[in-house]
Amino acid sequence: MGMVYGIGFILALGLALVLTPLVKKFAVKVGAMDMPNARKVHTRIMPRLGGLGIFFAFGIAFLLLLPWLPDNMFASREGNLVKALFAGGSIIVLIGALDDRFELSAKVKLLGQIIAACVVVFGFGITVDFVNIPFGHGYFSMPDWVAIPLTIVWIVGVTNAINLIDGLDGLAAGVSAIAISTILAMAFIMGNTTVILISLLLLGSIVGFLFFNFHPAKIFMGDSGSLFLGFSLAMLSMLGFKQVAVVSFLTPLFIIGVPLSDTFFAIIRRWRNKKPIFAPDKGHLHHCLRELGLSHRKTVLVIYAIATFFGVLAVIQSVAAAHAANWVTFIVAFILIFLLQIGAEVIGIVDKSKKPVIHFFSRILMKTETETQSKS
């Protein structure tokens, strides 16, 4: 299987390299162009629809490999997940492509995402129906009335999380590649051949696309790409909920930590400013880092590093959970929440002026210094 994995990755990468320039010409021909405005970073008209190159490279590579794959690779739940990925992913890409060309309303896009999620849940029976809770023994089984809406919310939420960070050249593609690489590493540890294959095909497609999307970009992935990658991550990360004694409830959250935390802070920020949750703004992580004086490339690379940090935490936590070291989950989660709060206050992702934790530690430090000086 090792050779098949390698061929699959190279095949997907090569197809993305060939298809992306063709998609660029198609985008220009049909008028799927991204116009500069006050909220966007780029200053020139750029073709969109790059997600079609990723999607078709992934799909064609899979079909070409299919005759050489063992029949039992797609048995049971993994087989259903692959079918659901293609069925729901096709709907997502269609909605995204239409938005890239016609700029659909947020409500229409949300409806399309819900339909894709429902296809996954009701058409293929994929649900998050039981989870391994840290410090617990065994699994907590959830009834359908909890599992079904939770799965739909998870798919729609992660799908949109990638879309929200798609604001700089190569950002969404790179962060998605790092998250998929994390899932790939965990799949190797678990020995899950289906997830290894799908992850490598997706990774090859993204790397091939990044040749044209990294700064300075020649094409944007558009919603067709960001929504598809978010949807794919939602599907693959859900496997973590089914791995007996391997992955706890928090692992999928670590895997998509960057887009998820950025989305969380965006919701808090808009709520505090009394703005609609789906209203666009310039307060995202990449905007804040640019305001600190980082260049376009350095901003993207810093976020890559943060995403890699999240990925390493996910792998450490999953390995620890496999050996029943649930205390590691608690420590990792505590450190992560603390660092997220400090980081959010430093860059002002929620509020530029209010920094409660930093001010708290500053007061303690000043008090300690005062006491030390008075004693001396």
Side-chain angles (χ1 to χ4, degrees):
M1 282 301 294
M3 183 175 292
V4 175
Y5 293 150
I7 292 173
F9 175 81
I10 294 170
L11 191 59
L13 190 153
L15 283 167
L17 289 173
V18 172
L19 292 173
T20 303
L22 300 177
V23 169
K24 179 183 176 182
K25 292 180 180 179
F26 176 72
V28 172
K29 187 173 182 179
V30 300
M33 309 297 288
D34 198 315
M35 304 297 176
N37 59 37
R39 190 178 63 86
K40 296 177 180 177
V41 176
H42 67 282
T43 56
R44 57 194 178 94
I45 300 174
M46 292 289 293
R48 293 192 282 203
L49 283 176
L52 293 182
I54 298 173
F55 177 70
F56 285 118
F58 167 67
I60 294 172
F62 178 81
L63 291 176
L64 290 175
L65 283 180
L66 200 56
W68 285 273
L69 300 177
D71 294 335
N72 62 352
M73 177 173 279
F74 305 107
S76 67
R77 186 174 188 268
E78 281 74 14
N80 272 346
L81 186 133
V82 174
K83 295 172 186 175
L85 175 59
F86 277 103
S90 298
I91 297 172
I92 289 291
V93 170
L94 176 61
I95 292 295
L98 290 174
D99 181 64
D100 288 342
R101 174 58 184 88
F102 301 107
E103 297 190 1
L104 306 177
S105 68
K107 291 181 180 179
V108 172
K109 288 193 291 183
L110 180 61
L111 177 61
Q113 294 161 24
I114 292 173
I115 290 173
C118 288
V119 167
V120 171
V121 172
F122 298 108
F124 297 92
I126 302 294
T127 58
V128 182
D129 49 11
F130 56 89
V131 294
N132 182 8
I133 305 296
F135 301 104
H137 299 283
Y139 280 89
F140 169 70
S141 181
M142 292 183 292
D144 287 344
W145 65 269
V146 175
I148 290 174
L150 177 61
T151 305
I152 292 173
V153 168
W154 174 262
I155 292 173
V156 173
V158 177
T159 298
N160 279 288
I162 297 298
N163 187 37
L164 286 174
I165 66 166
D166 186 23
L168 295 178
D169 298 352
L171 181 56
V175 169
S176 297
I178 292 168
I180 290 171
S181 297
T182 303
I183 294 173
L184 176 63
M186 292 168 60
F188 270 113
I189 293 171
M190 299 173 195
N192 192 320
T193 56
T194 304
V195 179
I196 291 172
L197 177 65
I198 296 301
S199 297
L200 280 171
L201 294 182
L202 281 170
L203 194 58
S205 303
I206 296 170
V207 172
F209 174 74
L210 270 171
F211 277 94
F212 306 95
N213 184 240
F214 197 74
H215 187 71
K218 299 177 179 64
I219 184 173
F220 291 162
M221 68 165 59
D223 276 18
S224 56
S226 61
L227 293 178
F228 172 65
L229 292 180
F231 179 82
S232 300
L233 277 171
M235 296 295 294
L236 288 174
S237 63
M238 278 201 302
L239 283 176
F241 292 101
K242 285 276 189 170
Q243 296 300 326
V244 177
V246 174
V247 184
S248 79
F249 179 73
L250 294 176
T251 304
L253 301 181
F254 291 151
I255 293 172
I256 56 167
V258 168
L260 204 63
S261 58
D262 193 37
T263 302
F264 172 76
F265 286 128
I267 292 172
I268 299 298
R269 181 176 62 251
R270 291 164 188 172
W271 175 75
R272 285 174 61 90
N273 296 327
K274 297 181 180 179
K275 292 183 178 180
I277 291 178
F278 291 102
D281 60 21
K282 297 192 73 171
H284 289 287
L285 176 60
H286 55 276
H287 293 126
C288 294
L289 291 175
R290 289 298 303 276
E291 288 179 5
L292 293 177
L294 296 181
S295 67
H296 194 123
R297 259 181 206 230
K298 286 182 179 178
T299 299
V300 172
L301 292 175
V302 166
I303 298 176
Y304 282 2
I306 297 171
T308 302
F309 173 70
F310 273 103
V312 171
L313 286 182
V315 174
I316 291 173
Q317 193 277 326
S318 66
V319 172
H323 294 85
N326 284 326
W327 57 269
V328 175
T329 298
F330 176 78
I331 294 174
V332 169
F334 178 80
I335 292 173
L336 188 57
I337 292 171
F338 177 76
L339 292 177
L340 280 174
Q341 180 62 31
I342 294 294
E345 292 182 12
V346 169
I347 66 175
I349 197 171
V350 175
D351 193 306
K352 302 292 183 184
S353 58
K354 295 183 179 180
K355 302 179 179 181
V357 177
I358 292 177
H359 290 161
F360 172 74
F361 282 105
S362 297
R363 287 194 298 270
I364 291 177
L365 184 61
M366 289 177 63
K367 184 178 180 180
T368 303
E369 289 177 351
T370 302
E371 292 176 352
T372 302
Q373 290 174 0
S374 63
K375 290 179 180 178
S376 61

